[in-house]
Amino acid sequence: MLKRVLIVDDDPAQRRILEEVIKRLGYETRSAQSGEQAIQILDGPDKGSISLVLLDLVMPGMDGMAVLERLSGKPGIPPVIVQTANGSIDAAINAMRAGAADFVVKPVSPERLDVSIKSAL
């Protein structure tokens, strides 16, 4: 069974690009356009089918840090790779402290994403 990556990003173009890249790397994808939708998926009946979460930090409504905080300490939560266009050291440190497995800066190369996903899994 292929591992499934949940892509959480409010930008539809970015989601489509990531879906294609991740499919080419050999994974299935599922997408969420908001932090709220990601929480619904990860709290719902499909949560067992998600192997990894690729989470944008900056989104309207519930941002990536709020998602990480909501997931923190919950059993059965897959590893989370945080991505953002605002690649500050503070953002990376805060995301890692909140439980992220890795931190990548947009636009992330397919090679870097592959290494990050394999490492997190």
Side-chain angles (χ1 to χ4, degrees):
M1 185 171 122
L2 288 177
K3 296 196 180 288
R4 181 171 293 143
V5 176
L6 175 62
I7 300 165
V8 186
D9 199 309
D10 60 315
D11 180 348
Q14 184 67 25
R15 276 197 316 273
R16 282 192 301 276
I17 291 167
L18 287 169
E19 285 172 0
E20 287 307 312
V21 168
I22 289 170
K23 285 177 184 175
R24 287 185 186 152
L25 295 175
Y27 304 97
E28 291 182 350
T29 62
R30 171 104 189 249
S31 293
Q33 60 188 8
S34 67
E36 294 86 355
Q37 190 178 21
I39 292 295
Q40 288 175 350
I41 292 167
L42 293 168
D43 280 346
D46 291 342
K47 77 176 182 179
S49 71
I50 305 296
S51 301
L52 181 129
V53 179
L54 185 57
L55 177 66
D56 188 16
L57 266 190
V58 180
M59 296 182 287
M62 181 183 286
D63 68 3
M65 287 304 297
V67 171
L68 278 171
E69 289 166 10
R70 288 275 300 271
L71 297 177
S72 180
K74 285 189 174 185
I77 295 300
V80 178
I81 298 171
V82 168
Q83 64 164 0
T84 186
N86 310 331
S88 74
I89 301 280
D90 286 343
I93 290 170
N94 290 336
M96 299 301 269
R97 283 185 179 154
D102 201 355
F103 185 92
V104 296
V105 178
K106 288 181 190 178
V108 61
S109 72
E111 296 81 13
R112 171 68 176 97
L113 192 56
D114 190 32
V115 167
S116 186
I117 289 172
K118 285 179 177 166
S119 176
L121 291 175

